[in-house]
Amino acid sequence: MKRITSLIIFMIAYISINASANYQLNCTGINRPIEEGDFQISSEYKDSFSINNTYLSKDGKPWTPVMGEFHYSRFPNEEWENQLGKMKAAGISIVATYILWNHHEVKEGVWNWSDDNDLTRFIKLCQENGLYVWLRIGPYCNAEAANGGIPRWANAGKRTNNAGYIAKVERYFQQVAQQAEGLYVKDGGPIVGLQLENEFASGDPNHIDKLKEIAVKNGMIVPFYSLTGNSVFHDNQYGFLPLQGAYAYRGWQRNAGGIVPGFAYDSDVWGIEEALGRTYYELDKYPRGLCEQGTGSPMKYYDRFMVEPAVIEAHVQNQIGRGMNLIGYYMFQGGTQVKGLNSTGWPLSYDFQAPLSEFGEVKESYKRLKLYHHFVNAKGEFLAKTQVYTEHESNKESAFNTETLRYCGRFDGGEGFVFINNTQKGLNLPDKSFKITCKIESGSMTFPQKEFTIKNNESVIFPVNMKLTDKITLNYSTAQYLATIDKSGRKTHFFVKKNAQNPEFSFSEKPAKVSSGWELTEDVYTATIEPSEANLSISFENATIILLSLEEGLNSYITATNNLFITDAEVIMSKDKVTLLSKGEEALKVYIFNAGNNSFEKSLFEKKSWDPKLNLAQTGHCRRLNIDLPSNLPENVSNIFVKIDYRGSKAELFADDELHTDHFFYGATWSIGLKRFIDSQNKSIKIKFKSWDIGVRGLSESLKKEMYTKITPYIKTITTETEYNFRLEL
């Protein structure tokens, strides 16, 4: 009897598990009607910009921009242009920047708008590189700056309409307006948005109106005035665009916030109430947008953490899936705090573990996020009009449920994308094998043919009923859509194989040509070999599908002239050229797509090797490292990076005996770019290492053990890498 009972229990469990592998997604009906509302747009912009409860519009079309934060006053101005070019190459369309008042008026009445504080030049460089600008003028900004960026002597009114405080704010706004004069979109400039205040959660909403009044009076007239979504304002007057923030890593909390929600396609209402305790505006009356999608976080001395790129990727994928129509990152470019103007308890380094580091290097998260920027830039107009469909209630149970598949859909007229995520910060999620039955107005479709298995720390987007041409439809694919290159009326659609499983493609029509490496089973084409250099393609009369490997997708770039190329180099895109930066001595390879024959043409760049002959001297029982610098860099060398794998609580970098930045050890090698010190004519830099502090939390168990074994600081390895530059002709 026990055997029979056990067998029945086993069979029930087996049936239950297998039944749960087929998930339902009903993508019919309207759950959030698009309403024009009564949004205030300045008369200068009514013909070119507008806003409704779902998306922004530009030139009469839905606009889904990608915005990245870059604090100009925390980065050497000599390097601004290159870093803006890297942001452009990543698919960023708007550069957001805080204007930190206390950087510009350290002493009352003495203003500094030069060198690293040259806001006018920064804005013009953005325009020259084809980037819009969203100024975040405060006066209060936070940004881990002293007093939130407000000079201590100016904060008598504490962010109110106090006459004395407002008079000081008006003088500050007048200064900002002078720097931005003639650079608004209405003047042919790039400034498209203006954020007032920051996290104004408990003040008087009339103060927000007063700040806008002062800004407008001083000529700061833009299409969009924004504030952070946790701010009080007169939301029934539609004079502001509230933008949300979301951080997987929260450096202001112990253990970076621990296990946090934000990976299960939950609703705005639940997510905001969970994070903030309340909502600040009627959410369905405003478009979903972000100004602070965290790419990492600064960290405090006693709490360390390492940002996982897969978590950052999945967090953004979740935001796009649940309907965000403006993706704004904080930070996209790391930086360095101005000494003495950083808030108490925060380091000088503002690296943030951002996609672009404090010293300008491209990090893994940059490439992962670029996949989604290509996707949004190609499909943003379509995505903006889609409805979001889910099959779960948004609550704590769904946000932390690790067993059930996390998925949602964005559809319009039966066409759309299914978003699937199996990643959550701080959790190992079990593998899940599944099929999805997607219901649209014309019927239902179950896919894929073979169950798809998604593993821990993976996320993917499946296209459904995607129009390849007016006549040909991609029924579905288990590869992720990347971008489309349209040349001479022929469209080449690029897809990426996101994980180890061989992707499937199903079409409404029979292809005209199929390359080798595909298996056909019941009208479904399955890739049977690894993608490489466009070896896997399927062609129709006016369209071609090309499957890329994940590595190729991560290394893909799209130019303003609609060319696609693949390289593992860092890429700088400016108005009239493409520059490649490559470390090491091996020849650089670039694969440029030729739409004429649907193939990649390989270019090889040989490096003229240069040895900087750095003198690296350790002193004081490894507590200090002296690095003698070369007097200059050859024309073909863009930078030298010193990578230090050390053990200790922190390290401090001094140039000519002046503290420049610091580094709280969290398990990663510290990579330091020397160019800025060479350009400043420093003869050497010095790095001081501090002993391990047993009070520091957050390191892995293996690192803790290593630290406790030897409390005194020490250097495990030091390596140097020369970075070469090349001009790419397309």
Side-chain angles (χ1 to χ4, degrees):
M1 186 67 182
K2 287 183 178 179
R3 284 186 177 182
I4 295 172
T5 303
S6 298
L7 180 61
I8 291 171
I9 292 172
F10 172 80
M11 289 177 67
I12 291 171
Y14 178 83
I15 292 168
S16 175
I17 290 170
N18 278 267
S20 68
N22 193 339
Y23 291 89
Q24 308 297 310
L25 184 60
N26 184 349
C27 299
T28 62
I30 303 296
N31 51 38
R32 183 185 168 106
I34 297 176
E35 299 171 351
E36 292 307 315
D38 192 24
F39 290 92
Q40 298 177 26
I41 297 289
S42 298
S43 58
E44 292 92 335
Y45 298 110
K46 284 190 178 295
D47 293 334
S48 51
F49 292 94
S50 63
I51 182 171
N52 60 35
N53 72 323
T54 306
Y55 53 81
L56 312 182
S57 290
K58 182 166 70 76
D59 299 327
K61 297 180 179 179
W63 186 36
T64 309
V66 181
M67 183 164 68
E69 189 94 6
F70 182 167
H71 295 165
Y72 62 94
S73 61
R74 289 172 164 173
F75 207 85
N77 69 89
E78 299 86 354
E79 300 176 34
W80 287 347
E81 187 167 13
N82 278 0
Q83 298 311 114
L84 290 170
K86 291 177 187 178
M87 292 178 72
K88 179 72 174 177
I92 298 291
S93 47
I94 303 175
V95 175
T97 187
Y98 272 138
I99 302 174
L100 296 165
W101 182 1
N102 61 4
H103 285 200
H104 296 282
E105 193 183 14
V106 177
K107 183 179 179 182
E108 187 171 6
V110 180
W111 294 91
N112 177 6
W113 297 99
S114 62
D115 301 323
D116 295 348
N117 284 352
D118 192 342
L119 174 62
T120 303
R121 177 169 172 262
F122 182 78
I123 296 170
K124 288 180 177 179
L125 284 174
C126 289
Q127 182 172 23
E128 289 172 11
N129 286 278
L131 296 161
Y132 286 105
V133 174
W134 203 294
L135 296 180
R136 305 177 78 193
I137 66 175
Y140 178 82
C141 296
N142 192 341
E144 289 66 50
N147 210 29
I150 300 176
R152 285 185 172 87
W153 49 262
N155 202 12
K158 297 183 178 178
R159 301 160 68 187
T160 70
N161 284 346
N162 169 277
Y165 176 64
I166 288 297
K168 292 167 184 173
V169 169
E170 181 145 17
R171 288 195 295 270
Y172 161 56
F173 276 19
Q174 287 170 353
Q175 284 284 323
V176 174
Q178 289 174 23
Q179 309 309 310
E181 186 176 2
L183 295 172
Y184 304 100
V185 171
K186 67 182 179 63
D187 308 313
I191 303 173
V192 71
L194 203 71
Q195 179 183 305
L196 296 165
E197 253 291 339
N198 184 72
E199 299 170 350
F200 192 69
S202 58
D204 179 358
N206 291 315
H207 181 56
I208 299 294
D209 292 337
K210 184 64 176 178
L211 293 176
K212 181 178 178 181
E213 176 190 316
I214 298 170
V216 171
K217 184 175 75 173
N218 284 282
M220 290 190 274
I221 300 172
V222 295
F224 308 113
Y225 294 89
S226 68
L227 38 72
T228 54
N230 57 345
S231 298
V232 293
F233 69 108
H234 295 298
D235 65 315
N236 61 344
Q237 296 179 10
Y238 304 104
F240 296 93
L241 172 65
L243 296 174
Q244 298 178 30
Y247 288 83
Y249 295 87
R250 303 169 180 180
W252 59 94
Q253 297 177 350
R254 185 165 178 167
N255 192 28
I259 301 169
V260 299
F263 297 86
Y265 311 109
D266 290 312
S267 71
D268 284 352
V269 174
W270 184 85
I272 291 174
E273 289 182 347
E274 175 71 11
L276 304 175
R278 55 167 287 200
T279 57
Y280 288 80
Y281 56 97
E282 197 170 348
L283 297 172
D284 284 346
K285 298 295 185 183
Y286 287 87
R288 295 183 178 115
L290 292 153
C291 60
E292 293 196 17
Q293 173 65 27
T295 61
S297 176
M299 64 180 79
K300 291 193 171 182
Y301 180 80
Y302 284 109
D303 283 285
R304 314 291 173 89
F305 52 89
M306 187 180 293
V307 169
E308 296 182 63
V311 169
I312 299 302
E313 173 191 353
H315 204 213
V316 171
Q317 194 255 38
N318 165 82
Q319 301 287 28
I320 299 170
R322 70 186 194 88
M324 289 296 168
N325 283 330
L326 189 165
I327 303 296
Y329 295 105
Y330 191 96
M331 299 287 298
F332 202 83
Q333 170 65 67
T336 308
Q337 295 248 37
V338 175
K339 189 171 66 173
L341 295 179
N342 53 314
S343 185
T344 303
W346 296 103
L348 280 177
S349 173
Y350 210 66
D351 177 80
F352 223 82
Q353 299 185 55
L356 291 168
S357 78
E358 178 179 10
F359 290 96
E361 278 188 294
V362 165
K363 313 304 285 186
E364 183 184 340
S365 60
Y366 172 101
K367 294 189 174 185
R368 285 178 177 258
L369 295 177
K370 181 159 54 68
L371 288 175
Y372 297 90
H373 304 165
H374 287 334
F375 168 64
V376 169
N377 288 335
K379 291 295 181 181
E381 186 177 336
F382 168 79
L383 287 170
K385 297 180 289 185
T386 58
Q387 297 286 314
V388 176
Y389 300 96
T390 61
E391 295 290 334
H392 69 274
E393 294 292 329
S394 292
N395 52 41
K396 188 165 287 189
E397 181 181 352
S398 68
F400 297 100
N401 181 342
T402 63
E403 298 301 319
T404 304
L405 186 70
R406 298 165 174 193
Y407 66 103
C408 75
R410 290 188 69 169
F411 279 76
D412 180 47
E415 179 181 0
F417 296 90
V418 177
F419 294 74
I420 303 161
N421 171 45
N422 202 41
T423 306
Q424 187 154 5
K425 177 200 161 206
L427 291 176
N428 288 318
L429 274 60
D431 297 353
K432 299 174 180 66
S433 298
F434 62 90
K435 292 185 178 184
I436 290 179
T437 297
C438 190
K439 181 182 178 182
I440 57 177
E441 282 77 2
S442 60
S444 295
M445 174 172 57
T446 299
F447 62 90
Q449 190 178 73
K450 178 184 177 181
E451 282 190 338
F452 190 88
T453 298
I454 189 168
K455 297 183 178 297
N456 181 50
N457 278 350
E458 290 183 346
S459 53
V460 69
I461 305 172
F462 294 160
V464 177
N465 285 340
M466 176 178 158
K467 303 296 183 186
L468 302 181
T469 68
D470 292 339
K471 298 179 180 179
I472 302 166
T473 299
L474 172 64
N475 298 328
Y476 77 86
S477 175
T478 55
Q480 184 163 308
Y481 172 74
L482 179 72
T484 297
I485 300 299
D486 191 344
K487 294 285 187 180
S488 303
R490 182 170 189 83
K491 296 181 178 180
T492 305
H493 305 280
F494 290 89
F495 290 78
V496 175
K497 179 183 177 182
K498 279 296 298 290
N499 73 359
Q501 187 158 327
N502 290 334
E504 295 180 7
F505 288 81
S506 170
F507 304 99
S508 62
E509 305 288 336
K510 184 178 179 180
K513 183 180 179 182
V514 179
S515 70
S516 60
W518 297 95
E519 179 180 272
L520 177 61
T521 307
E522 296 179 0
D523 297 327
V524 173
Y525 293 85
T526 303
T528 59
I529 61 175
E530 286 302 302
S532 177
E533 298 182 39
N535 64 331
L536 283 167
S537 64
I538 297 175
S539 296
F540 299 86
E541 182 180 355
N542 292 312
T544 298
I545 293 282
I546 291 181
L547 182 63
L548 303 177
S549 68
L550 178 56
E551 182 180 7
E552 288 175 325
L554 293 171
N555 288 330
S556 66
Y557 295 86
I558 300 173
T559 68
T561 54
N562 203 28
N563 288 309
L564 185 144
F565 64 93
I566 295 171
T567 179
D568 63 2
E570 295 186 11
V571 175
I572 299 169
M573 286 189 188
S574 60
K575 181 174 62 175
D576 57 353
K577 64 180 180 179
V578 176
T579 302
L580 307 177
L581 306 179
S582 178
K583 299 183 182 73
E585 304 306 317
E586 292 184 5
L588 171 63
K589 299 174 184 176
V590 182
Y591 300 87
I592 303 171
F593 180 66
N594 184 334
N597 56 18
N598 282 321
S599 66
F600 283 96
E601 296 176 351
K602 180 178 174 181
S603 296
L604 200 64
F605 296 86
E606 298 290 346
K607 295 173 182 175
K608 185 179 179 182
S609 184
W610 177 70
D611 182 0
K613 297 179 180 177
L614 295 178
N615 181 25
L616 306 169
Q618 298 182 44
T619 62
H621 302 288
C622 295
R623 291 180 180 272
R624 293 181 180 83
L625 174 66
N626 295 332
I627 304 175
D628 291 336
L629 303 175
S631 58
N632 53 54
L633 297 176
E635 189 176 342
N636 69 318
V637 173
S638 55
N639 212 333
I640 307 165
F641 287 89
V642 176
K643 299 180 180 290
I644 307 170
D645 185 8
Y646 75 96
R647 298 294 181 267
S649 64
K650 66 179 288 190
E652 297 175 326
L653 188 155
F654 295 81
D656 283 347
D657 296 322
E658 182 177 343
L659 179 62
H660 177 82
T661 190
D662 49 22
H663 181 267
F664 289 176
F665 177 75
Y666 60 95
T669 297
W670 191 16
S671 183
I672 302 168
L674 301 183
K675 181 182 187 299
R676 63 188 56 172
F677 306 108
I678 297 169
D679 288 349
S680 300
Q681 298 182 328
N682 295 288
K683 294 181 179 179
S684 66
I685 60 172
K686 297 177 183 178
I687 300 171
K688 296 181 180 179
F689 302 92
K690 303 292 185 180
S691 297
W692 178 244
D693 187 330
I694 60 174
V696 170
R697 302 177 290 263
L699 297 186
S700 67
E701 291 302 317
S702 60
L703 273 176
K704 286 180 186 176
K705 185 176 180 180
E706 190 178 341
M707 295 293 212
Y708 294 153
T709 303
K710 191 173 182 179
I711 298 293
T712 56
Y714 65 100
I715 298 172
K716 295 188 73 172
T717 61
I718 305 174
T719 58
T720 61
E721 289 185 327
T722 302
E723 183 179 72
Y724 299 91
N725 60 74
F726 303 90
R727 174 79 175 266
L728 178 64
E729 302 290 346
L730 292 171

